[in-house]
Amino acid sequence: MECLLQKTEMKLLSTWLVLLIVNQAISILKTEEVTWHPTYHLAPPKGWINDPNGLIYHNGCYHAFFQYNPENNKEGTKYWGHARSYDMLNWEYLPIALSPSLEDDINGIFSGSAVNIHGKLVLIYTGVSDNFNKQRQMVAISSDDVNFEKRGVVIIKDKDESNFRDPKAWFQNGSWWVVMGSQTTDKLGEVLLYSSNDFFNWTYQGVLAGGNESLGYMWECPDFFTINGKQILVVSPQGIKQDGFNYQNLYQTGYFVGDWEPGKNYTIKKGFTEIDHGHDFYASQSFLAPDGRRIQISWLDMWESVFAENVTGWSGMFTIPREISLTDSGDLLSKPIREILEKRNQNTDIFDTIISSNQMLTLNNSVFSSEILIEFNFLNSSCQAIQLFLKEEPTIDEGVVLYVDFELNRLFMERYYPKYGLDKSNRSVAIDLSLSKLSLDIFVDSSSIEVFVNDGVAVMSSRIYPNNNQRKFSVAPVNGYVNISLISYDIVVKNQ
């Protein structure tokens, strides 16, 4: 009884603290000017979104479906929202595609994928029922790419159905295939494989890949595709413990590289590797553009984190669509889609200068919907570190700092927004500072920052919550001087 009372007291205290933070945020928003809804990232006009679903190019349009709660700006019963675009940056929001309505999806519409079958847009998704204890795979078909007719359950897992979700389907060698996120009986993550001749009758083909205790207790949102003759398996494990600079978020998204063909086992050649090293990146999904590029989009958020924007009526957003490729050594490269080049308006001259530790270069006083290209020339530099600030002033603690550490050979991203409940924390990625140059392609939107390092060798993505007067971008070396060249653009996109 004493333990129960303690738990009750802790729960009441936790609820009180959340309410306090929310009330403080509302009070601050009433007195300080903030604009957080993104301009060139997909986010809901209102309500909540999380995982991207059903990404596909179909009938001349890019379609993005997403986990959606239209009635509340917090997580709740899931629907599938729907948007389409001609360039993956300007999005038109369409009516809700899927709503809970059948016995097998009455508790929610969880993640899934989309395919083209005889010219029709077909969705395969996880229907949830029995208080989330039943997770079954279901199909819906559209004749107009907007309205969908449900066709019911097509895959049921034997025995435990409580962790069996997120089907990703594709066509290969005359058959349909689908991978499923799952959990073993001894609570380890795994990906299951099924095949079908008609997309409605599926045969279990076995475990495609499985983890161990070091790789978490559940694997969500699998994605499986081929690049350069290698098969890439992307998963989002839950329950990986932090290991030094790795796995610092609550959950991760990463990839394996291996060999597979129908009828054979998946042979892994490169072990699990994180895709993005920022605070907010989860549930990646990919698809093929009509020109053959593999495009990846992720949820630019993290479970059980602060969603300060929900006091303004919406929560959640997606990353910039990224073109992904594979190096000869098996490393995944991520670059912003080239369509974004057409949205640039140059807003600064090109700076090419040397700055010393008693100087600071301010590029822009209002980095809002922007791209900043920076290159450091180490052949003409001598310093211990380089700091880049997105703040009201560099001397003020609140805001974002990017920090190139020459001793640790790492790029750090630190953010701090205490009045909105975000404590000071950093994420980092290893960088090769033996090279003569370091290039950073930095995208700042209303409430996000994405940093592409050395043409996509590494990426860091995080949510940020600056007031409108906290958007000054400055650069300064530490204990020495640095040769820097940079240029800034406005990104002009208008979502409907």
Side-chain angles (χ1 to χ4, degrees):
M1 178 64 73
E2 182 180 355
C3 182
L4 178 61
L5 288 173
Q6 288 176 345
K7 288 182 178 179
T8 303
E9 290 171 355
M10 289 299 295
K11 187 174 182 180
L12 289 172
L13 178 60
S14 176
T15 302
W16 179 81
L17 288 172
V18 169
L19 290 173
L20 177 63
I21 291 172
V22 169
N23 288 333
Q24 286 177 336
I26 292 173
S27 176
I28 292 166
L29 289 170
K30 288 179 180 179
T31 58
E32 297 186 3
E33 187 178 3
V34 298
T35 307
W36 287 335
H37 201 277
T39 59
Y40 60 95
H41 291 74
L42 196 157
K46 65 173 185 176
W48 161 287
I49 70 169
N50 54 286
D51 307 0
N53 302 150
L55 305 179
I56 190 171
Y57 182 82
H58 182 74
N59 286 341
C61 289
Y62 297 97
H63 292 261
F65 300 84
F66 41 87
Q67 295 283 276
Y68 187 40
N69 179 359
E71 303 300 330
N72 201 314
N73 53 18
K74 299 179 182 179
E75 187 189 7
T77 301
K78 300 294 176 54
Y79 297 64
W80 268 31
H82 185 193
R84 66 185 173 193
S85 172
Y86 292 101
D87 59 9
M88 292 181 278
L89 294 166
N90 289 284
W91 292 95
E92 173 193 5
Y93 296 93
L94 299 174
I96 291 172
L98 298 173
S99 303
S101 63
L102 302 180
E103 180 181 352
D104 289 298
D105 67 14
I106 197 63
N107 290 147
I109 313 291
F110 278 12
S111 293
S113 52
V115 298
N116 181 334
I117 300 181
H118 304 307
K120 292 187 176 182
L121 186 56
V122 180
L123 309 180
I124 182 167
Y125 66 95
T126 300
V128 183
S129 62
D130 190 26
N131 195 28
F132 303 98
N133 289 314
K134 287 184 179 179
Q135 299 179 9
R136 297 177 168 182
Q137 313 324 306
M138 307 177 71
V139 166
I141 299 177
S142 177
S143 296
D144 61 5
D145 298 347
V146 176
N147 300 290
F148 291 85
E149 177 187 354
K150 293 180 180 179
R151 297 295 180 89
V153 175
V154 296
I155 303 176
I156 297 177
K157 183 183 180 183
D158 292 338
K159 299 179 181 179
D160 184 7
E161 299 180 79
S162 62
N163 284 291
F164 178 59
R165 53 186 177 266
D166 312 333
K168 178 61 187 291
W170 75 98
F171 190 78
Q172 182 176 343
N173 288 22
S175 297
W176 289 103
W177 301 85
V178 70
V179 285
M180 299 291 315
S182 187
Q183 183 184 66
T184 67
T185 55
D186 53 351
K187 309 301 182 186
L188 298 176
E190 63 179 356
V191 170
L192 306 181
L193 178 68
Y194 294 77
S195 67
S196 173
N197 292 324
D198 61 5
F199 212 77
F200 293 93
N201 298 282
W202 293 85
T203 300
Y204 176 59
Q205 297 293 337
V207 177
L208 181 74
N212 51 44
E213 291 183 357
S214 68
L215 289 176
Y217 56 79
M218 172 65 192
W219 286 3
E220 291 194 312
C221 304
D223 193 6
F224 196 54
F225 52 87
T226 299
I227 300 181
N228 294 349
K230 294 294 183 181
Q231 283 67 51
I232 315 301
L233 174 62
V234 175
V235 292
S236 294
Q238 298 177 323
I240 296 181
K241 295 180 180 179
Q242 181 177 341
D243 179 17
F245 290 118
N246 297 320
Y247 316 136
Q248 290 188 267
N249 291 330
L250 176 64
Y251 302 139
Q252 285 71 42
T253 294
Y255 67 98
F256 300 90
V257 179
D259 295 316
W260 177 85
E261 60 182 83
K264 295 187 177 181
N265 293 328
Y266 182 48
T267 304
I268 294 174
K269 303 294 186 180
K270 180 183 175 69
F272 184 79
T273 305
E274 288 182 275
I275 295 175
D276 190 291
H277 298 267
H279 294 81
D280 297 290
F281 186 91
Y282 195 67
S284 287
Q285 286 294 301
S286 72
F287 67 101
L288 284 177
D291 57 8
R293 288 176 295 161
R294 174 66 58 175
I295 307 299
Q296 185 179 66
I297 300 176
S298 300
W299 188 38
L300 213 173
D301 285 289
M302 181 51 57
W303 293 112
E304 298 182 28
S305 61
V306 171
F307 294 82
E309 73 275 14
N310 64 24
V311 297
T312 65
W314 66 280
S315 291
M317 62 189 293
F318 289 167
T319 61
I320 296 172
R322 303 169 182 184
E323 179 182 353
I324 56 175
S325 58
L326 195 69
T327 67
D328 292 338
S329 60
D331 296 320
L332 205 63
L333 299 181
S334 299
K335 303 178 184 180
I337 53 170
R338 56 176 172 261
E339 284 82 351
I340 206 162
L341 298 176
E342 303 169 3
K343 312 300 179 184
R344 287 173 168 176
N345 279 350
Q346 186 173 333
N347 62 26
T348 65
D349 295 328
I350 298 176
F351 288 84
D352 190 348
T353 186
I354 293 177
I355 52 176
S356 63
S357 51
N358 61 353
Q359 295 177 307
M360 182 170 295
L361 174 63
T362 296
L363 172 67
N364 196 318
N365 285 311
S366 184
V367 176
F368 192 85
S369 174
S370 306
E371 178 186 7
I372 304 166
L373 290 167
I374 300 178
E375 185 173 89
F376 300 105
N377 182 353
F378 296 142
L379 296 178
N380 195 21
S381 302
S382 177
C383 56
Q384 293 181 351
I386 306 169
Q387 298 180 99
L388 302 93
F389 304 97
L390 182 62
K391 296 183 172 187
E392 183 175 354
E393 292 293 341
T395 54
I396 296 177
D397 214 13
E398 184 174 355
V400 175
V401 181
L402 296 174
Y403 189 86
V404 182
D405 190 312
F406 285 79
E407 182 177 350
L408 294 175
N409 288 285
R410 302 191 73 84
L411 172 66
F412 288 84
M413 178 190 292
E414 178 188 278
R415 69 175 181 187
Y416 184 44
Y417 295 99
K419 58 192 171 190
Y420 302 121
L422 272 82
D423 295 331
K424 183 178 292 186
S425 64
N426 65 61
R427 300 290 184 266
S428 70
V429 65
I431 51 178
D432 187 355
L433 293 177
S434 67
L435 301 175
S436 60
K437 294 181 180 180
L438 170 66
S439 65
L440 303 178
D441 193 357
I442 304 172
F443 289 85
V444 178
D445 206 340
S446 307
S447 54
S448 66
I449 181 169
E450 293 165 271
V451 182
F452 295 81
V453 182
N454 286 340
D455 208 23
V457 170
V459 192
M460 304 181 73
S461 304
S462 294
R463 293 298 303 273
I464 60 175
Y465 295 101
N467 299 335
N468 288 357
N469 65 345
Q470 295 175 320
R471 295 183 176 274
K472 178 185 290 188
F473 190 89
S474 305
V475 185
V478 177
N479 294 333
Y481 60 91
V482 64
N483 186 179
I484 180 174
S485 62
L486 48 80
I487 187 171
S488 177
Y489 301 90
D490 292 324
I491 303 299
V492 182
V493 171
K494 184 176 182 181
N495 288 312
Q496 300 181 27

